[in-house]
Amino acid sequence: MIKKQPVFLTLCIGLLMMCVVGAKAFNTNKIQLNLIPMPQKMVVNKGLFNLKNCKVIISDKSLYYEAHRLQQYLKNQGINVPVKDSDIFAKGNIEASKNGSIVLKYADVKSEQTVKEAYHLTVTPKSIVLKARGNEGIFYGLETVKELAKSDKQIQACEITDWPAFAWRGYMVDAGRNFVPMDLLKQQIDVMARYKLNIFHFHITEDVAWRLESKLYPQLTDPETMIRNKGEFYTEKDLKELISYCKDRYITLIPEIDMPGHSAAFKRAMKTDMQSDSGLAIVKNILREFCSTYDLPYLHIGADEVKITNNNFLPEVTSLIESMGKKVIGWEPGGNFSESTIRQLWMEGATKVSRNKNIKYIDSRHLYINHMDPLESVVTIFNRQLCNLDKGNDAALGAIMCAWPDRKVNSPNDVMIQNPVYPAMLAFAERSWRGGGVSGWTATIGSPESQAAKTFTEFENRLMAHKARYFTKLPFPYAKQSDLEWKLYGPFKNEGALSKVFAPQDGNFNIQTEPAKLTALGGTIILRHWWAPQVKGLLDDPQENTTWYASTRIWSNEDKIQNFWIGFNNISRSYASDSPDAGTWDNRSSQVFVNDQLISPPVWKQAGAKGEIELPLIDEGYEFREPTKIHLKKGWNKVLLKLPIASFKGKDWKNPQKWMFTFVGAGI
């Protein structure tokens, strides 16, 4: 059920918790500062700073670049501001310079974590003063200033002390399988920078294709060695340009040259296996060429999902890379690494690694957005406790969110449409900067009126504000869901007969008076995750051969046709999953009724197509097909979903049953 009053109350409560009000208090609970990530400490004060007719003043000439970056941003907003140098400060007349000024200066900032990225921001009606130890902190503080700037060119008075909970806050793009053009890479890097992410993990070699130019071995990027996007690769100039583009935004680019696994393209090009003597010699030459060509601190060597037949391979490769001044990163679980290798966790439970204080690690467990429903992604990532810790330490560096669209796409932008890149990125930015989260992996918002639900609602309000402000021209597959309340009835034993009808479909069953077995919030509800019990869904003890029903009510001010996202099977963009059969929503006989009228499933463009990794998805996901149009009557509209299941097992290990449903107003 959509509830308007509780959302307002929740918003007010969240704002009161965020704002610390002193003796000159005023009603700050009416002010929503839609910042992502939310700063660690913030006081909202009375008054506004007007950006019109202001000036930027710097305390040191090394701040010119950041000042001019701010100047250009304001110019794009129609505000011309001058930048003044440090002469005023040299004369000791700092305070006199502050009226109508944005002051950038170096100073120590008291922070609990990552001092070099911390900043302190003071906004009054007369001035803005931004302090940080170095340019990274200034950069992050200015990103906050941009977020604070309202459409009327004014900024709310406030005081912020901010720092990241984790040193590494990363995002990974797999360009090995599906080539990503430079402009699309830069677009994603720009969004990363806005939300204070600082690691760009660039996966560029795969079984499908080797996509990095080698002057020594040009055959690596010959079109005939590539399965997809033949002839598409990154030149030396391209990679140097990306490295510089990232560095300009205080982002470290970490390239991944996968070895010895995921290397079929290498084998096709070089006619030898990496782990053979001749293959290892070629790999070493490639690494020497790479390390002497690119100014980078880290090199990721992958080393997962492969049988190690040459026990000397990884030790020799690691020794060579380290001798050239680079630090090595590898996937965990993976190969026979040395303690000096930074581990990126993709499955391991952070216990074997974290017990060894000599090993540094990064968390990417359950952070693969290619496996996630868009609405689920925001919920589960927002809830995540990265590295199983509230904040990082010398060993627990942070986390990297990954996009692994193994399945072929028709165009590069399909990766952005079929995967919740930007909604998930904003949730990840909040969690990796703020820290915290809850233990375990959960895909639920929480029960209505719970503290978990209130906390998520407060974040979602900010998320929707950012969608409206920054993502009108970019893919952002997310709709507001925290105010959608469901009643669930069950379980009913169907004995494998998925079409069997139960009481909630009986005309005498009144969903308003019948007590529900469970209640839940969300546009996507996962009864049982395909990775249960590691990932917790709504049901504590889901049972095979059962049927559940979910019901809600939707208010409409008039008779109208409205668009809805409806789905029952979020197909991973990594697996060779079958398309739904014609005339069905899924393979479980799920059904949708609105005001007792059965809603027909889409007319699938490749109905019943057998899963094939080289067959692109077209309309199988609600987020990348035309929304379902439903007639709503004036007043309350009843929605009933039938959710049967037989076995939890899928056709193979890659396709387990993800028992779920999505029903939400499209793009709302």
Side-chain angles (χ1 to χ4, degrees):
M1 178 186 294
I2 295 178
K3 296 181 175 180
K4 299 189 180 298
Q5 184 67 11
V7 172
F8 175 76
L9 291 174
T10 300
L11 177 60
C12 293
I13 292 168
L15 287 166
L16 285 170
M17 293 173 63
M18 291 190 308
C19 303
V20 181
V21 184
K24 297 180 179 179
F26 74 112
N27 196 7
T28 57
N29 67 334
K30 292 183 179 179
I31 298 173
Q32 174 70 25
L33 300 184
N34 293 309
L35 303 179
I36 297 177
M38 185 59 71
Q40 301 286 0
K41 295 182 179 180
M42 180 171 67
V43 179
V44 178
N45 295 318
K46 188 175 182 179
L48 298 166
F49 177 84
N50 196 329
L51 287 167
K52 300 173 184 176
N53 303 317
C54 72
K55 56 185 176 290
V56 178
I57 300 177
I58 57 175
S59 66
D60 191 288
K61 286 182 168 54
S62 61
L63 284 166
Y64 262 124
Y65 189 75
E66 298 306 328
H68 283 294
R69 199 196 308 255
L70 175 62
Q71 183 186 47
Q72 185 59 49
Y73 170 80
L74 292 174
K75 184 177 180 180
N76 293 339
Q77 307 304 310
I79 306 171
N80 292 309
V81 300
V83 174
K84 297 185 178 294
D85 61 25
S86 57
D87 288 349
I88 296 173
F89 291 90
K91 297 173 184 177
N93 195 17
I94 299 174
E95 295 303 319
S97 73
K98 289 168 63 173
N99 281 353
S101 298
I102 301 175
V103 179
L104 311 181
K105 61 184 295 188
Y106 293 131
D108 285 338
V109 176
K110 292 182 179 180
S111 65
E112 297 177 14
Q113 298 280 112
T114 324
V115 173
K116 69 174 184 176
E117 295 179 305
Y119 66 92
H120 184 271
L121 177 65
T122 303
V123 180
T124 70
K126 293 183 178 181
S127 68
I128 295 176
V129 179
L130 174 59
K131 303 176 184 179
R133 176 175 288 189
N135 282 29
E136 284 171 275
I138 295 292
F139 178 82
Y140 293 134
L142 288 177
E143 289 301 318
T144 300
V145 170
K146 293 175 188 177
E147 285 186 273
L148 287 168
K150 300 190 295 183
S151 58
D152 61 0
K153 311 298 189 292
Q154 298 190 100
I155 294 180
Q156 179 65 48
C158 60
E159 184 170 1
I160 292 171
T161 304
D162 203 11
W163 65 88
F166 290 94
W168 289 40
R169 307 173 302 281
Y171 168 60
M172 191 216 78
V173 168
D174 173 11
R177 293 179 175 88
N178 292 293
F179 181 79
V180 184
M182 291 284 284
D183 60 343
L184 188 52
L185 290 172
K186 289 180 178 179
Q187 178 198 109
Q188 293 170 84
I189 292 166
D190 285 341
V191 177
M192 289 176 63
R194 180 187 301 147
Y195 293 101
K196 302 180 174 69
L197 302 185
N198 66 350
I199 300 290
F200 180 57
H201 179 174
F202 195 31
H203 184 87
I204 45 180
T205 70
E206 253 304 329
D207 290 330
V208 170
W210 185 286
R211 300 207 187 273
L212 179 63
E213 178 185 28
S214 169
K215 301 289 179 61
L216 286 176
Y217 303 105
Q219 59 268 48
L220 284 168
T221 50
D222 281 348
E224 58 265 26
T225 68
M226 299 181 179
I227 295 174
R228 301 177 197 158
N229 313 128
K230 293 179 180 291
E232 298 280 11
F233 64 92
Y234 303 97
T235 65
E236 177 183 320
K237 178 178 177 294
D238 290 335
L239 186 53
K240 285 184 174 178
E241 183 180 336
L242 281 177
I243 293 168
S244 177
Y245 198 82
C246 285
K247 189 176 292 185
D248 184 56
R249 291 152 180 78
Y250 300 96
I251 294 171
T252 299
L253 188 149
I254 296 177
E256 182 177 353
I257 301 177
D258 221 330
M259 59 185 77
H262 295 265
S263 57
F266 173 95
K267 190 172 185 177
R268 289 193 296 271
M270 307 311 301
K271 314 303 182 188
T272 185
D273 186 271
M274 275 190 176
Q275 296 191 71
S276 67
D277 290 343
S278 58
L280 178 55
I282 294 169
V283 168
K284 287 182 177 180
N285 288 337
I286 292 170
L287 292 174
R288 291 187 187 97
E289 177 189 28
F290 182 89
C291 292
S292 62
T293 302
Y294 302 105
D295 180 20
L296 289 165
Y298 302 96
L299 178 58
H300 202 305
I301 61 172
D304 66 320
E305 296 184 319
V306 63
K307 182 179 180 180
I308 299 296
T309 59
N310 181 353
N311 287 328
N312 293 324
F313 183 90
L314 287 174
E316 289 189 27
V317 163
T318 300
S319 178
L320 175 62
I321 296 170
E322 291 178 342
S323 73
M324 292 183 285
K326 314 289 185 183
K327 294 179 181 177
V328 178
I329 305 173
W331 290 102
E332 178 71 43
N336 53 324
F337 297 122
S338 65
E339 283 191 347
S340 61
T341 300
I342 299 171
R343 314 299 173 82
Q344 186 169 358
L345 310 181
W346 66 279
M347 184 185 292
E348 196 267 347
T351 52
K352 181 176 70 175
V353 166
S354 61
R355 278 197 301 265
N356 188 336
K357 302 303 180 184
N358 297 322
I359 297 177
K360 298 181 184 296
Y361 64 97
I362 314 152
D363 196 355
S364 288
R365 301 162 305 143
H366 195 41
L367 289 173
Y368 287 13
I369 60 172
N370 46 288
H371 290 316
M372 295 180 182
D373 171 276
L375 303 183
E376 168 202 357
S377 73
V378 171
V379 174
T380 196
I381 292 175
F382 177 77
N383 281 327
R384 275 296 307 277
Q385 187 184 52
L386 304 175
C387 298
N388 297 346
L389 299 168
D390 285 334
K391 58 185 179 181
N393 55 46
D394 290 342
L397 301 177
I400 296 176
M401 185 186 85
C402 303
W404 291 107
D406 299 60
R407 193 156 177 168
K408 183 181 179 180
V409 293
N410 281 319
S411 70
N413 205 51
D414 281 355
V415 172
M416 310 298 293
I417 296 170
Q418 295 178 2
N419 297 277
V421 173
Y422 292 140
M425 186 182 289
L426 269 61
F428 179 79
E430 175 85 0
R431 186 54 60 224
S432 59
W433 183 275
R434 289 278 301 170
V438 297
S439 61
W441 304 347
T442 178
T444 60
I445 292 175
S447 59
E449 308 304 326
S450 67
Q451 186 56 52
K454 293 174 183 177
T455 301
F456 178 80
T457 298
E458 188 279 322
F459 169 73
E460 187 183 61
N461 289 335
R462 289 184 276 131
L463 182 74
M464 296 305 293
H466 278 247
K467 177 183 178 180
R469 180 174 179 181
Y470 297 114
F471 294 95
T472 56
K473 296 180 180 180
L474 296 176
F476 201 92
Y478 189 82
K480 184 171 178 58
Q481 59 173 326
S482 64
D483 56 355
L484 191 57
E485 182 176 327
W486 296 90
K487 294 181 177 181
L488 285 98
Y489 305 91
F492 301 95
K493 295 182 179 180
N494 62 40
E495 299 175 336
L498 301 183
S499 60
K500 193 171 183 179
V501 173
F502 298 97
Q505 283 183 259
D506 189 320
N508 297 320
F509 189 91
N510 189 331
I511 63 173
Q512 294 307 305
T513 58
E514 289 287 342
K517 184 68 174 289
L518 295 169
T519 57
L521 296 177
T524 287
I525 303 294
I526 297 175
L527 279 67
R528 180 189 181 274
H529 203 281
W530 51 31
W531 290 317
Q534 288 86 355
V535 181
K536 181 174 170 35
L538 179 66
L539 302 182
D540 289 331
D541 185 25
Q543 300 293 318
E544 295 183 328
N545 300 314
T546 57
T547 297
W548 281 79
Y549 289 85
S551 180
T552 192
R553 295 195 305 164
I554 297 175
W555 176 266
S556 178
N557 290 324
E558 58 183 350
D559 279 352
K560 63 178 181 180
I561 302 296
Q562 183 169 320
N563 290 333
F564 284 88
W565 280 344
I566 304 176
F568 295 90
N569 182 27
N570 177 241
I571 295 177
S572 168
R573 280 68 65 193
S574 286
Y575 297 153
S577 302
D578 299 342
S579 298
D581 290 334
T584 71
W585 285 99
D586 59 5
N587 64 350
R588 295 192 296 267
S589 300
S590 298
Q591 292 181 308
V592 188
F593 302 88
V594 176
N595 296 325
D596 299 319
Q597 297 298 308
L598 181 66
I599 305 300
S600 299
V603 178
W604 306 108
K605 293 180 180 178
Q606 46 192 22
K610 296 304 177 185
E612 168 55 54
I613 205 72
E614 295 303 316
L615 177 68
L617 298 171
I618 299 176
D619 62 354
E620 289 82 355
Y622 64 78
E623 69 275 26
F624 54 95
R625 66 171 175 263
E626 283 294 313
T628 300
K629 297 183 182 300
I630 296 178
H631 176 260
L632 298 181
K633 65 182 182 180
K634 183 178 180 180
W636 286 109
N637 294 262
K638 182 178 71 173
V639 179
L640 182 68
L641 307 181
K642 182 184 178 184
L643 309 164
I645 196 165
S647 172
F648 292 146
K649 295 179 181 178
K651 68 172 186 176
D652 54 41
W653 71 270
K654 288 185 175 181
N655 289 275
Q657 295 285 353
K658 191 175 186 181
W659 194 11
M660 59 173 289
F661 69 84
T662 296
F663 186 99
V664 69
I668 295 175

